[in-house]
Structures are given as C-alpha cells and as structure tokens.
Amino acid sequence: MTGLQAFGAWRMILTWCGERAPGPTPRPMFAPPADWRLIPSWTWHRAGLEPPQAKTVVSAAARRASIERAAASATDGDARDRVFTSLPGVGVWTSAETRIRAFGDADAVSVGDYHLCHQVGYALTGRRVDDDGMCALLEPWRGHRQRIIRLIGLSGAVEPRRGPRLAPEDHRGR
C-alpha cells in the first residue's frame, strides 16, 4: 500500500465511521471512531484495506487498555517497541511510527520505510543506502535519530526523481 492509499483509507474510515468534530470548522473534520471493533469488514474493504490490516487494527482495539498500560509503564523506546511488536501484525515500522506520534520518541527510526533510507543516505552521503546503511549513518546521533531524520526532511535535500510516480491499482472492484 502506498502512502497515498493509506492516507485515503484513513480519511474514508474517519469520514464514514468517525464523529463529526464539534463547533464550526472550515471544512468537515472527523474524530476517530469510539470503538474500532464495531467497524464491519466490508467498510474496511471499501476503504481499501485488506483483511490482515483490518484484523490488526481490530485486535489492537480489543486490547487497547492493556496496550496503553504496558506502553505507559515502559521506561524507554526499546521497551515500548517490545510492547507494540508483540501484537500480531505489528512490525518494527508500525512500532516506530507509533512511538514517534504517540510518545514523541526522539530516537525512533522507521526501518522498513520504502523511501526513508534512500532520503537519509542521499542527504548524508550523496548516494542511496539500505536500512542497515541508514542505521549506520544515524548511529552517531543515537538518542536523537528521529530528530535528525526530521531535519533531513526539512532540509530540502531530495534525491532527483528517476521516473513517474507509481499509479496504484485499485482492486476493490474485483
């Protein structure tokens, strides 16, 4: 799933199943659904999520209270990583993205992100690197690696494009 597809699916789920934000807003805004477990399977499908993805969200929602307690009691990013990756369907990328957004983890690195390692490698060395190469390049900034990644993103150092953007195929009509 591409980033465009993921953001589109998120928007659809919020619009269809979320609550309209109170008060006047410049455009309709929605809060996440109160209970993700109540979203029927066909709604996930219509939004473009596959069954394994939907199952991960629903099973995490069913264990929400215990996940929140375990993550809050974890003492550092590595401990939170162990909490999140213990859930079926949650890998290191999802764990890192959750720690970045929910806990402001200044050291979380989204290993497995398709473009991130190329962006970091190009900014720091002028050439592409893989995930291992990215981690080696970021090692001197351990404790602040997410901050360095954010600074690289804001720097404007972008590898030149080599082709057109991927046109994702929509399989929902099949």
Side-chain angles (χ1 to χ4, degrees), residues 48-169:
L49 275 85
E50 297 183 20
Q53 297 164 324
K55 184 179 178 181
T56 298
V57 174
V58 171
S59 67
R63 300 173 57 192
R64 175 182 171 185
S66 62
I67 295 168
E68 287 175 350
R69 275 193 311 275
S73 66
T75 56
D76 61 6
D78 290 337
R80 285 190 185 106
D81 186 53
R82 286 189 294 277
V83 169
F84 295 135
T85 57
S86 70
L87 302 167
V90 175
V92 292
W93 182 88
T94 304
S95 172
E97 291 293 316
T98 302
R99 290 182 289 126
I100 292 164
R101 285 165 176 72
F103 295 97
D105 189 338
D107 196 47
V109 179
S110 300
V111 174
D113 188 296
Y114 182 74
H115 298 288
L116 184 63
C117 59
H118 303 311
Q119 183 180 13
V120 170
Y122 185 79
L124 297 179
T125 67
R127 60 181 174 76
R128 284 182 159 214
V129 297
D130 59 7
D131 284 331
D132 293 334
M134 173 183 66
C135 291
L137 288 171
L138 293 172
E139 189 58 34
W141 294 286
R142 182 170 282 282
H144 302 280
R145 294 178 297 182
Q146 182 51 224
R147 290 182 176 133
I148 298 301
I149 290 168
R150 292 285 179 194
L151 288 172
I152 289 170
L154 294 170
S155 73
V158 180
E159 181 181 21
R161 301 236 183 239
R162 296 190 307 272
R165 175 176 240 150
L166 172 71
E169 189 175 348

